[in-house]
Amino acid sequence: MNEFVIGGQTILPGESKKIALPVARLYTDAEVDLPLYIVRGKRQGPTVFISAAVHGDELNGIEIIRRLVNLKSFKITRGTVIAVPMVNVYGVVNQSRYMPDRRDLNRSFPGSSKGSLAARVANTFLQEVVTHCDYGIDLHTGAIHRSNLPQIRADLNDEETRLLANVFAAPVVLHSNVLDGSLREAAVTMNTKVLLYEAGEALRFDELSIRIGLKGIINILRHLGMVAKGKPSKSMREPFVAENSGWVRASVSGIVTHNFGLGDSVEKGDVLAEIGSPYGEVLGKVLANNRGVIIGKQNIPLIQEGEAMYHIAYFKEDEDKVAEHIESVTDDFVGEEPIKEVLL
């Protein structure tokens, strides 16, 4: 318990420390560091990493971590939190999803100390951070020009991971198999249980997504006994679980008129959008291929044939009830003041 070393620095029980972990040098001879904020409780307990900006243009997670570590009452009573607001520092600086070598960092794990730049950053993060951790929360957004409804993605076949996904209390939980080369896959091989939080869109702050994400992290830390218990929150609602989902794609190229938005329930055959020409002619319609709830959508009003437009989750429960639940959760957070205390 007393020996906890990252980047050659020792953090003692009850201490908090900011560490700039070197990952590589640029051709300008400037060194690029991975920013870590480590908080240890005085008592023994689990170790949790909270990571953001594995994709450098996904910014909500940076703000979630920034708010978390600046909460006046952010005190870990047991265990350790390792907060990493920018994993892909290069991408954040360049407002890009990718590494400078055009690789996707979240397809580069477990990486290698002698591999590509992306492989080296992945390997450093894995060996210096994940190797210490029992649990992880990886914060993401939708890709460029796409928005995601706040949701947790996780391997729901694992009983404890499923419980943690429910405890986070995002509006929706989606079963998601691990992807080859992802941080989540690498962490699982190290027996670290990881939740992936998806919310909002790239290069934008979304206040609702930030608030739900921050509250979800606090819920997890409470559940693990790492922070003091707080009073029950009205925004702590049991999420609906989707075992699978699918994308609906554009039937033709053109200009889009959306008929449905994030969180809406749809029936098979509903016209999700119309695609028209610059002259106003309707060239095609985008139809729902099954009953479900929209958890992701493309935002730019220009579309190419075959492009993914709507991500629809499929539930065992009645979709209208799921949509009502999502609206209720949204109303709870919209009506709340920003979280100022971890004990709220």
Side-chain angles (χ1 to χ4, degrees):
M1 171 65 182
N2 291 329
E3 190 70 12
F4 193 91
V5 180
I6 291 183
Q9 298 195 44
T10 299
I11 303 94
L12 299 174
E15 279 191 334
S16 62
K17 188 173 288 188
K18 296 175 182 176
I19 296 176
L21 184 67
V23 289
R25 300 190 76 87
L26 300 177
Y27 48 74
T28 59
D29 202 35
E31 193 164 48
V32 177
D33 300 321
L34 193 68
L36 309 179
Y37 182 71
I38 303 164
V39 185
R40 297 194 70 195
K42 292 183 178 180
R43 293 184 291 146
Q44 189 170 351
T47 300
V48 179
F49 77 80
I50 306 166
S51 57
V54 170
H55 293 133
D57 60 354
E58 299 183 0
L59 306 182
N60 274 336
I62 298 175
E63 179 65 7
I64 290 170
I65 291 176
R66 192 181 73 87
R67 293 190 192 183
L68 176 70
V69 300
N70 281 284
L71 289 171
K72 293 180 180 178
S73 297
F74 182 57
K75 293 182 175 65
I76 301 300
T77 57
R78 58 188 292 266
T80 302
V81 169
I82 307 173
V84 190
M86 300 178 192
V87 181
N88 180 359
V89 178
Y90 304 92
V92 175
V93 170
N94 294 303
Q95 299 179 19
S96 169
R97 178 182 180 88
Y98 302 105
M99 298 288 292
D101 56 6
R102 295 300 299 167
R103 285 179 167 86
D104 185 334
L105 182 58
N106 208 30
R107 299 295 180 272
S108 301
F109 288 90
S112 165
S113 61
K114 296 182 179 180
S116 67
L117 179 58
R120 294 178 188 219
V121 172
N123 181 257
T124 297
F125 184 73
L126 205 62
Q127 298 304 321
E128 292 284 357
V129 176
V130 180
T131 188
H132 294 284
C133 296
D134 305 292
Y135 306 96
I137 304 171
D138 191 25
L139 306 172
H140 286 261
T141 76
I144 191 76
H145 303 311
R146 290 183 184 172
S147 293
N148 282 330
L149 184 79
Q151 61 196 261
I152 284 291
R153 298 182 186 179
D155 177 10
L156 302 183
N157 293 323
D158 181 84
E159 188 173 334
E160 186 178 13
T161 303
R162 191 183 188 101
L163 173 60
L164 291 171
N166 288 335
V167 167
F168 192 97
V172 167
V173 172
L174 177 63
H175 174 69
S176 175
N177 294 320
V178 294
L179 298 174
D180 292 343
S182 66
L183 167 58
R184 195 154 61 100
E185 181 193 49
V188 166
T189 65
M190 303 176 79
N191 296 317
T192 303
K193 300 182 186 298
V194 178
L195 301 180
L196 192 151
Y197 177 63
E198 284 273 4
E201 71 174 302
L203 296 176
R204 299 287 185 273
F205 280 171
D206 177 73
E207 186 62 28
L208 175 65
S209 299
I210 291 167
R211 291 188 186 191
I212 291 176
L214 178 56
K215 197 59 171 283
I217 291 170
I218 294 170
N219 289 342
I220 294 294
L221 297 180
R222 279 183 182 148
H223 172 76
L224 296 174
M226 299 175 67
V227 298
K229 297 289 185 182
K231 62 184 180 182
S233 170
K234 66 178 181 179
S235 54
M236 184 70 172
R237 297 173 182 267
E238 189 77 13
F240 282 86
V241 176
E243 298 295 339
N244 54 72
S245 65
W247 280 93
V248 177
R249 297 182 179 274
S251 55
V252 295
S253 301
I255 300 171
V256 180
T257 301
H258 292 283
N259 296 329
F260 290 84
L262 288 179
D264 288 346
S265 62
V266 298
E267 297 286 339
K268 184 176 181 178
D270 278 349
V271 180
L272 303 178
E274 291 184 344
I275 302 175
S277 74
Y279 302 104
E281 303 163 304
V282 176
L283 302 176
K285 296 180 179 181
V286 182
L287 305 180
N289 51 21
N290 215 327
R291 296 183 66 193
V293 173
I294 297 172
I295 61 170
K297 71 180 285 287
Q298 189 249 33
N299 293 326
I300 193 167
L302 306 175
I303 200 76
Q304 297 291 342
E305 181 178 349
E307 195 170 345
M309 292 186 66
Y310 296 94
H311 190 194
I312 299 179
Y314 308 121
F315 298 85
K316 294 179 180 178
E317 297 86 356
D318 180 85
E319 282 73 12
D320 287 338
K321 290 183 179 179
V322 179
E324 288 173 7
H325 162 77
I326 292 168
E327 186 176 357
S328 295
V329 172
T330 299
D331 288 345
D332 285 346
F333 279 93
V334 168
E336 284 188 349
E337 291 296 317
I339 299 172
K340 296 179 180 178
E341 299 290 336
V342 76
L343 302 181
L344 284 180

